[in-house]
Amino acid sequence: MELIGIIITLAFLLSFAASDRQGDALYDMKLKLNATGTQLTDWNQNQVNPCTWNSVICDSNNNVVQVTLASMGFTGVLSPRIGDLEHLNVLSLPGNKITGTIPEQLGNLSSLTSLDLEENLLVGEIPASLGHLSKLQLLILSQNRLSGTVPDTLATISSLTDIRLAYNNLSGPIPAQLFQVARYNFSGNNLTCGANFAHPCASSSPYQGNRPYFLLFFP
Ligand SMILES: *[C@@H]1O[C@H](CO)[C@@H](O)[C@H](O)[C@H]1NC(C)=O
Ligand SMILES: *[C@@H]1O[C@H](CO)[C@@H](O)[C@H](O)[C@H]1NC(C)=O
Ligand SMILES: *[C@@H]1O[C@H](CO)[C@@H](O)[C@H](O)[C@H]1NC(C)=O
Ligand SMILES: *[C@@H]1O[C@H](CO)[C@@H](O)[C@H](O)[C@H]1NC(C)=O
Ligand SMILES: *[C@@H]1O[C@H](CO)[C@@H](O)[C@H](O)[C@H]1NC(C)=O
């Protein structure tokens, strides 16, 4: 009986240690993003469980699975500690003014299905480590200032259904497999696509969601 009590207590403490680590990572993310005094006010270091924080979604085991902070005007950088949020499915920070590079630690988020950093001021290269995100379906990095090449490692992500790297400063070849992705957009770079190349820079998938009516009659 005593042993069971000890085990239950340990499990309880461990689950708090886990959410503590996640809370620390989120708090560091808030600081590095340069959130102002009126933003993310409930992202409080003294509160052990981050699952109650605004814009944070957890699963039933108190693991952070979703962080969505769109168009908040953040001007800071991305914390490498985001890589500690090991259960994260969705990371979405579009429409801010985030500077600096994409931390290679994001490649540790092995449960990630959606990464959206569109329309920020990110510089540097797309980290090759993103190729480790084997469950990734959506990768949206368009409208930043990313340079260098499109890493070959992205071609190994077989779950990708939508990749958007448009309007950056990327150059060089695009791995051929990426043209097999259902929806892609590489326009506005200096990449091997478009008029002089074998593939257009953007896929022509005209329907998102419902097919237009006439296509039902004239497929
Ligand atoms: C973040 O905020 C601090 C203090 O307000 C400021 O000195 C710094 O320049 C800001 N950094 C960015 C990247 O905006
Ligand atoms: C996270 O990623 C970095 C860089 O990609 C790596 O050095 C580090 O060992 C990884 N950490 C864990 C816990 O996997
Ligand atoms: C664009 O990329 C090229 C080659 O990588 C680099 O020389 C140039 O400085 C970049 N331009 C901007 C505006 O970042
Ligand atoms: C585009 O990339 C090629 C190499 O892939 C390079 O030779 C050329 O200078 C680049 N053009 C511009 C405008 O950056
Ligand atoms: C490609 O992306 C750019 C920038 O996000 C957008 O303006 C353009 O309409 C897109 N092209 C297609 C065919 O979706």
Side-chain angles (χ1 to χ4, degrees), residues 118 142-143 166-167 183 185 187 202-203:
E118 182 169 54
S142 18
Q143 294 172 264
Y167 292 90
R183 209 168 161 227
N185 189 342
S187 349
S203 60

Side-chain angles (χ1 to χ4, degrees), residues 3-18 61:
L3 188 62
I4 290 173
I6 290 169
I7 289 171
I8 289 173
T9 308
L10 269 179
F12 183 76
L13 288 175
L14 277 176
S15 87
F16 268 101
N61 298 319

Side-chain angles (χ1 to χ4, degrees), residues 17-35:
S19 56
D20 209 13
R21 182 178 150 86
Q22 298 181 96
D24 287 349
L26 287 170
Y27 191 72
D28 194 59
M29 178 178 170
K30 167 183 165 173
L31 292 183
K32 298 269 164 39
L33 283 173
N34 249 9

Side-chain angles (χ1 to χ4, degrees), residues 31-35 74-77 97 99:
L31 292 183
K32 298 269 164 39
L33 283 173
N34 249 9
F74 293 130
T75 57
V77 300
K97 298 183 175 95
T99 58

Side-chain angles (χ1 to χ4, degrees), residues 119-132:
E119 224 191 321
N120 280 289
L121 302 170
L122 294 165
V123 297
E125 302 200 358
I126 298 174
S129 63
L130 297 190
H132 296 146

Side-chain angles (χ1 to χ4, degrees), residues 123-125 145-149 168-171 190:
V123 297
E125 302 200 358
R145 295 173 179 178
L146 300 169
S147 55
T149 58
N168 278 289
N169 183 26
L170 301 167
S171 59
N190 179 22

Side-chain angles (χ1 to χ4, degrees), residues 40-43 50-57 66-69:
L40 306 181
T41 45
D42 63 349
W43 289 35
C51 296
T52 60
W53 298 358
N54 244 303
S55 311
V56 174
I57 295 177
Q66 193 168 326
V67 176
T68 302
L69 299 166

Side-chain angles (χ1 to χ4, degrees), residues 127-150:
S129 63
L130 297 190
H132 296 146
L133 302 175
S134 60
K135 294 183 179 162
L136 199 63
Q137 295 169 23
L138 214 73
L139 177 61
I140 309 181
L141 305 176
S142 18
Q143 294 172 264
N144 279 285
R145 295 173 179 178
L146 300 169
S147 55
T149 58
V150 178

